[in-house]
Amino acid sequence: GRFTPGDFAILNNPPALTMQDLDTVDVILVWTNNSFTNSVEIGDTLKQFVDQGGGVVIATYAFSTPWALAGAIFDPNYSPFLPSATQGVGGSINLAAIPQPGHPIFDNIAIDPVYWWNTNYSNPPLNTGGTLLASDYSGNRVVAENPAGDVVGIVCYPDNLGSGNAETRMMFANALYHVGNLLPSWITPIPLNDTVPPGDSSIVNIQFNSCDTALGPGIHYSEIIITSNDPLSPVDTIPVILTIYGEVTTTLSDTCFD
């Protein structure tokens, strides 16, 4: 429910990938069911995309050799996982053991996300700077992020999301929002952008919409990332928590109908 079909543009096994191909893109979900045509070039472009403010989610089988992604996206502090040999992996994420229960990737998720057993999955090691966010009940690493939070690795196969549970689909949607610094619809900063003279300050009001149709009762997590040209603090992250009590009640006004 966080995206519509019109939000996506699909590049199916592109022979090459350049920054021009990504001019109108904020976030990329990359995965494979075969070898990449040019894994090094694609990985190099993804790193460049991240360096210019984009967000990337890398999923199965991009971490499984011999089909893995390659190139500069696996430099330290970019992809949180490194490719590794295939092995039979599958099951569900152990929510009770995640080290950061309030992480935005797990917002609106109360049941263990399920993923599917396959001998071509992998249990990828963490890259330099990678932080593990979730493992399965066998201890296999499933979700991790880089230090900047703009690259996330998920060892699940996106083509099977339709046959999994809703929690896994929500986890992928949350990850895309997270790496792209896309604010959920229940948060509205006013103003969204501002110019602050040296030595001055600016007040930004944050409006919460608890009536958002995507929300239900419970605790909802997100974060506001403030970027600026301040050399001492170019990026500041502010955690946001919204708690909704009770059941949602929907009413319709007669004036809504002709």
Side-chain angles (χ1 to χ4, degrees):
R2 304 199 70 173
F3 294 97
T4 64
D7 293 329
F8 293 91
I10 298 175
L11 295 175
N12 188 0
N13 193 24
L17 185 66
T18 67
M19 288 300 297
Q20 186 176 356
D21 298 323
L22 307 176
D23 274 347
T24 61
V25 176
D26 297 312
V27 180
I28 298 173
L29 171 61
V30 54
W31 79 96
T32 182
N33 195 25
N34 210 321
S35 298
F36 289 95
T37 302
N38 193 332
S39 60
V40 173
E41 180 183 282
I42 291 174
D44 290 348
T45 301
L46 290 174
K47 177 183 181 293
Q48 187 179 358
F49 178 73
V50 172
D51 287 339
Q52 295 188 15
V56 175
V57 176
I58 305 172
T60 300
Y61 295 89
F63 295 118
S64 300
T65 56
W67 313 284
L69 192 61
I73 193 64
F74 290 111
D75 285 357
N77 300 316
Y78 285 87
S79 169
F81 286 136
L82 294 172
S84 65
T86 59
Q87 67 177 57
V89 176
S92 57
I93 290 175
N94 184 1
L95 279 183
I98 59 176
Q100 301 180 41
H103 195 286
I105 288 179
F106 305 106
D107 190 23
N108 287 323
I109 297 177
I111 300 173
D112 292 342
V114 173
Y115 66 108
W116 309 271
W117 186 89
N118 191 292
T119 57
N120 292 328
Y121 271 51
S122 64
N123 181 23
L126 287 172
N127 193 3
T128 300
T131 297
L132 185 64
L133 298 178
S135 302
D136 65 14
Y137 281 87
S138 299
N140 297 303
R141 293 172 288 273
V142 183
V143 185
E145 68 175 343
N146 71 337
D150 49 18
V151 185
V152 165
I154 302 179
V155 190
C156 298
Y157 185 49
D159 265 4
N160 283 344
L161 287 177
S163 59
N165 62 2
E167 284 68 25
T168 309
R169 296 189 289 274
M170 179 61 74
M171 182 177 68
F172 268 90
N174 288 344
L176 291 168
Y177 263 77
H178 176 64
V179 299
N181 191 23
L182 305 176
L183 286 176
S185 54
W186 49 270
I187 298 176
T188 305
I190 304 172
L192 184 60
N193 300 285
D194 201 1
T195 300
V196 183
D200 205 347
S201 62
S202 178
I203 295 176
V204 178
N205 294 302
I206 307 299
Q207 180 176 326
F208 293 87
N209 177 20
S210 62
C211 297
D212 191 298
T213 56
L215 297 177
I219 302 175
H220 305 275
Y221 301 91
S222 189
E223 55 191 16
I224 296 173
I225 299 178
I226 301 174
T227 58
S228 71
N229 61 352
D230 181 351
L232 299 179
S233 184
V235 179
D236 287 306
T237 301
I238 301 174
V240 178
I241 302 175
L242 173 64
T243 303
I244 299 178
Y245 298 97
E247 296 297 325
V248 176
T249 301
T250 302
T251 59
L252 299 176
S253 170
D254 292 340
T255 59
C256 295
F257 298 94
D258 293 330

